[in-house]
Amino acid sequence: MDVNVNYVLGLFLGLLVGFGGVALVYTLVYRKHGKPVYDERQTLAQNKAFKGAFCTLAVYTVAGSLCIDMCKELFERTMVFALLGLLLSVTVYAVLCIIGDAYVALNKNTRAYVLLFAGLFLVTASACGIRWATGEPPIKDGVIGVMSLMLASALMALTVCVSLLVHSARQARITDDGEDGE
Amino acid sequence: MKNLRLKSARAALDLSQQQLADMVGVSRQTMNQIEKGDYNPTIKLCLAICRALGKTLDELFWEDEQA
């Protein structure tokens, strides 16, 4: 089997940079605010969100397996199909957590998360746009390519950002007597 | 079923849901759901709320005889 060494090296380097970036952000945030603290209801809501994400990934994988011949023609590489599924399930997890008010920890700021995901969306959308303009669209000749992962990441960041904003606005309306003072 | 006894005990001390939530270490949404009856807290949380409001478990969380 021919293996493109540059592709594999690029993949590992990307993973290293990704994990390194996350570790850096976590170190900076933890140093300032401490470990995230969730109450018991939030923990339960996160467990339910995890179940939803798992079911999403399971259905996606089974659907792909049933249509494996079509998937082979539709996706440039098998990894694209798998990673798109992961991104989808992570998005489902985040959105379900946000709906259950279990995404932002007690000692964290919603604004920081909104800014983070807005920034992530801008970076990935810009990179995707530049690639598209230089002849590397996410879908080329009916085949979903590697660039679709960048577009999917941008959409994921946008979805989480918008969900946080909508949820935050809704929470601000709820008074101590209930929603809209009922 | 709404927990009106909890709500009135909180109001008697002139505390908002956010203030009571901060005192017992939960989110405002959690306190809101407990008062609305949408979430059943653990005994640990019930005790923390009772201590914060100066009430007993029976006074805040026991079922009404008539209910």
Side-chain angles (χ1 to χ4, degrees):
Chain A
M1 186 178 78
D2 290 332
V3 174
N4 188 336
V5 176
N6 289 335
Y7 174 76
V8 173
L9 276 174
L11 197 65
F12 277 114
L13 190 64
L15 283 170
L16 203 67
V17 168
F19 282 123
V22 170
L24 178 69
V25 169
Y26 258 63
T27 307
L28 292 171
V29 171
Y30 276 26
R31 197 175 285 173
K32 193 176 178 185
H33 296 288
K35 203 177 165 183
V37 175
Y38 297 97
D39 66 31
E40 55 184 55
R41 185 198 58 81
Q42 288 177 316
T43 307
L44 271 175
Q46 285 172 353
N47 292 341
K48 285 182 186 173
F50 181 82
K51 189 176 158 186
F54 178 79
C55 289
T56 302
L57 187 58
V59 167
Y60 178 89
T61 308
V62 166
S65 305
L66 291 172
C67 316
I68 195 157
D69 290 332
M70 192 169 78
C71 286
K72 277 181 186 172
E73 289 176 29
L74 204 58
F75 293 93
E76 187 186 330
R77 292 174 206 271
T78 311
M79 192 173 286
V80 172
F81 174 79
L83 288 174
L84 280 176
L86 276 174
L87 280 171
L88 177 66
S89 63
V90 165
T91 307
V92 166
Y93 175 80
V95 170
L96 288 177
C97 276
I98 291 166
I99 290 170
D101 193 47
Y103 193 80
V104 181
L106 294 175
N107 54 343
K108 299 285 185 245
N109 192 347
T110 305
R111 191 165 164 263
Y113 283 90
V114 169
L115 288 174
L116 176 70
F117 281 101
L120 191 65
F121 166 70
L122 285 172
V123 167
T124 47
S126 304
C128 186
I130 290 167
R131 287 283 194 165
W132 203 326
T134 54
E136 287 187 68
I139 301 173
K140 197 172 182 180
D141 300 326
V143 176
I144 301 172
V146 174
M147 286 302 121
S148 65
L149 294 173
M150 208 179 282
L151 179 62
S153 301
L155 289 174
M156 182 195 83
L158 182 65
T159 305
V160 174
C161 184
V162 168
S163 302
L164 280 168
L165 284 170
V166 168
H167 180 74
S168 190
R170 194 166 174 268
Q171 288 300 305
R173 276 183 24 234
I174 294 175
T175 65
D176 279 5
D177 294 320
E179 196 155 347
D180 295 328
E182 66 177 290
Chain B
M1 199 169 67
K2 287 187 180 183
N3 194 331
L4 296 172
R5 285 178 285 175
L6 171 58
K7 189 174 176 178
S8 58
R10 177 178 57 79
L13 293 176
D14 200 25
L15 291 171
S16 65
Q17 283 184 345
Q18 183 65 64
Q19 286 170 323
L20 181 56
D22 290 340
M23 284 167 74
V24 300
V26 297
S27 67
R28 182 193 182 280
Q29 177 76 342
T30 299
M31 194 54 64
N32 184 266
Q33 289 199 5
I34 293 172
E35 286 189 7
K36 281 166 69 178
D38 291 338
Y39 174 68
N40 289 323
T42 59
I43 193 74
K44 189 178 166 187
L45 181 53
C46 287
L47 287 170
I49 293 170
C50 289
R51 273 190 225 109
L53 296 175
K55 300 283 184 184
T56 63
L57 272 175
D58 282 358
E59 285 173 319
L60 291 184
F61 294 104
W62 199 251
E63 285 176 350
D64 275 330
E65 293 292 337
Q66 289 163 357

